[in-house]
Amino acid sequence: MNALTDIQTIKGPDGAPAFVVLPYADFLRRFAHEEGLIPHDVVSATVDGASPMKAWREYLGLTQADVAARLGVSQAAYAQTEAAARPRKATVARVAEALRIGVEQLDF
């Protein structure tokens, strides 16, 4: 199946598109990082010992160097940030912005 045929549009009483139905896996790939949601893979990684920063970074398919470049720091500096037991709130906010997720998604 291609992406366009996997999506179903449901029309409202006026005949205009009102809802879209798509496979759950596609929903997770497209929207799980939005609106405060935390994907199962991210939660599982933290249960297995990863920091939330590391879990999100890996979930998003980014390297430490990728995130470091977005933050304007070295990979080594970001590695320390990612491994910190209690990063500062300002740091969490900067990393969340770099990952393009909400702070609440990183602070759990």
Side-chain angles (χ1 to χ4, degrees), residues 6 11 13 15-16 20 23 28 32 34 37 41-42 48 54 66-67 75 90 96 99 108:
D6 290 346
K11 295 180 180 179
V20 175
L28 289 177
E34 295 181 14
L37 298 176
D41 291 347
V42 172
D48 291 341
K54 179 178 181 178
D66 294 332
V67 179
Q75 179 274 328
L99 295 174
F108 67 95

Side-chain angles (χ1 to χ4, degrees), residues 32-95:
H33 62 282
E34 295 181 14
E35 298 189 30
L37 298 176
I38 302 172
H40 175 75
D41 291 347
V42 172
V43 174
S44 291
T46 61
V47 169
D48 291 341
S51 70
M53 286 181 196
K54 179 178 181 178
W56 268 106
R57 176 182 57 77
E58 290 178 346
Y59 175 78
L60 296 170
L62 300 169
T63 65
Q64 286 184 340
D66 294 332
V67 179
R70 290 180 182 184
L71 292 169
V73 300
S74 70
Q75 179 274 328
Y78 178 71
Q80 289 180 337
T81 300
E82 190 175 89
R86 290 184 169 191
R88 293 180 16 219
K89 287 183 181 184
T91 301
V92 172
R94 287 186 64 225
V95 172

Side-chain angles (χ1 to χ4, degrees), residues 20-32:
V20 175
V21 179
L22 68 155
Y24 187 67
D26 288 347
F27 167 77
L28 289 177
R29 270 195 309 279
R30 295 176 188 190
F31 303 107

